[in-house]
Amino acid sequence: MFDGLAYAALYGFILAFAVGPVFFIIIETSITKGFRSALAFDLGAIFADIIFITFAYYSTSQILEKIKDDPNLIIFGGLILLAFGIISYIKTSKSFRKIVREHYSVDTKKNLFGLFVKGFLLNFINFGVLAGWIGVIIMANALTTTSEGVILFLSTVLISMLITDIAKMLLAKKLKSKMTPRVIFKTKKWVSILIIVFGSVMILQGTFPKELAKLKQILLDFFS
């Protein structure tokens, strides 16, 4: 049941930096409107994530039930994440001007419910997020053995995301002078690369499970 939670925590951390404009709007909102406003915005985005997870989980459950014992499952999940990362990288490479506009578009009026709705809508209209969560659900089924384990895996991803976002809010004041549109642009590209690497590792893990298990044991023996 607790298998794969380290993957879940790591992916939640990565995903907190890979949700498009939500990443820098959280920081921008924290700087201009304060912690509570940024938290309201972030909770709206996470609520959209929960809806995506629910939809993806129940719409793919029958398929996953049929292929859960297939050794190629983790490869399939890795391919989805790999495609998601590549698409994200390509879109980011063409979006510098959009990043500049959105970076300076947050107003200073505080409206917690409005910010919650804004966070929800900004995430909900991004169907790339749905594709990402489908990949996470497939990963969860590949790394855990029970339905309770899948739910715990997904919950860990969300909690890791929330904790990372809160850390970003608390550090926002210190990052204010550094979070220029160009830095955001480069960060988003590197996050896309991390997702590509993450998906590639899953593909290798599914293709060469015995070899990677031996390598992991060698590394554990070396550092122990």
Side-chain angles (χ1 to χ4, degrees), residues 28-200:
E28 190 77 26
T29 303
S30 182
I31 292 171
T32 59
K33 300 180 181 180
F35 176 83
R36 291 178 60 197
S37 296
L39 183 60
F41 178 88
D42 190 42
L43 290 176
I46 289 179
F47 183 59
D49 284 325
I50 293 173
I51 292 178
F52 276 139
I53 290 171
T54 303
F55 175 79
Y57 180 80
Y58 286 106
S59 63
T60 59
S61 59
Q62 293 181 346
I63 298 174
L64 293 173
E65 184 65 26
K66 294 179 180 178
I67 65 175
K68 65 179 180 180
D69 296 323
D70 190 336
N72 293 320
L73 177 59
I74 195 168
I75 299 176
F76 182 50
L79 287 172
I80 290 180
L81 291 180
L82 180 63
F84 179 69
I86 292 173
I87 293 171
S88 177
Y89 183 88
I90 293 173
K91 289 179 65 177
T92 298
S93 298
K94 300 178 180 180
S95 64
F96 181 71
R97 291 183 179 179
K98 181 179 178 181
I99 289 173
V100 173
R101 290 196 302 269
E102 292 176 339
H103 181 74
Y104 296 107
S105 67
V106 179
D107 58 49
T108 57
K109 182 180 179 181
K110 293 184 178 181
N111 181 351
L112 297 183
F113 180 72
L115 285 166
F116 178 90
V117 173
K118 181 178 180 180
F120 171 80
L121 292 176
L122 189 64
N123 220 20
F124 191 73
I125 62 176
N126 185 357
F127 289 102
V129 177
L130 175 59
W133 282 118
I134 291 175
V136 175
I137 290 172
I138 292 174
M139 184 198 313
N141 278 271
L143 297 175
T144 61
T145 57
T146 64
S147 58
E148 292 81 4
V150 172
I151 294 173
L152 181 59
F153 187 98
L154 295 172
S155 299
T156 301
V157 173
L158 286 172
I159 292 171
S160 178
M161 285 177 58
L162 180 60
I163 291 174
T164 304
D165 285 341
I166 290 175
K168 289 188 295 185
M169 296 172 204
L170 294 174
L171 292 171
K173 293 294 182 181
K174 296 181 180 180
L175 293 173
K176 182 176 181 179
S177 61
K178 298 180 180 180
M179 292 307 300
T180 63
R182 186 166 296 279
V183 170
I184 293 169
F185 176 73
K186 291 181 178 179
T187 300
K188 285 164 65 66
K189 291 185 72 172
W190 275 108
V191 167
S192 299
I193 291 173
L194 283 175
I195 294 178
I196 292 171
V197 171
F198 200 76
S200 300

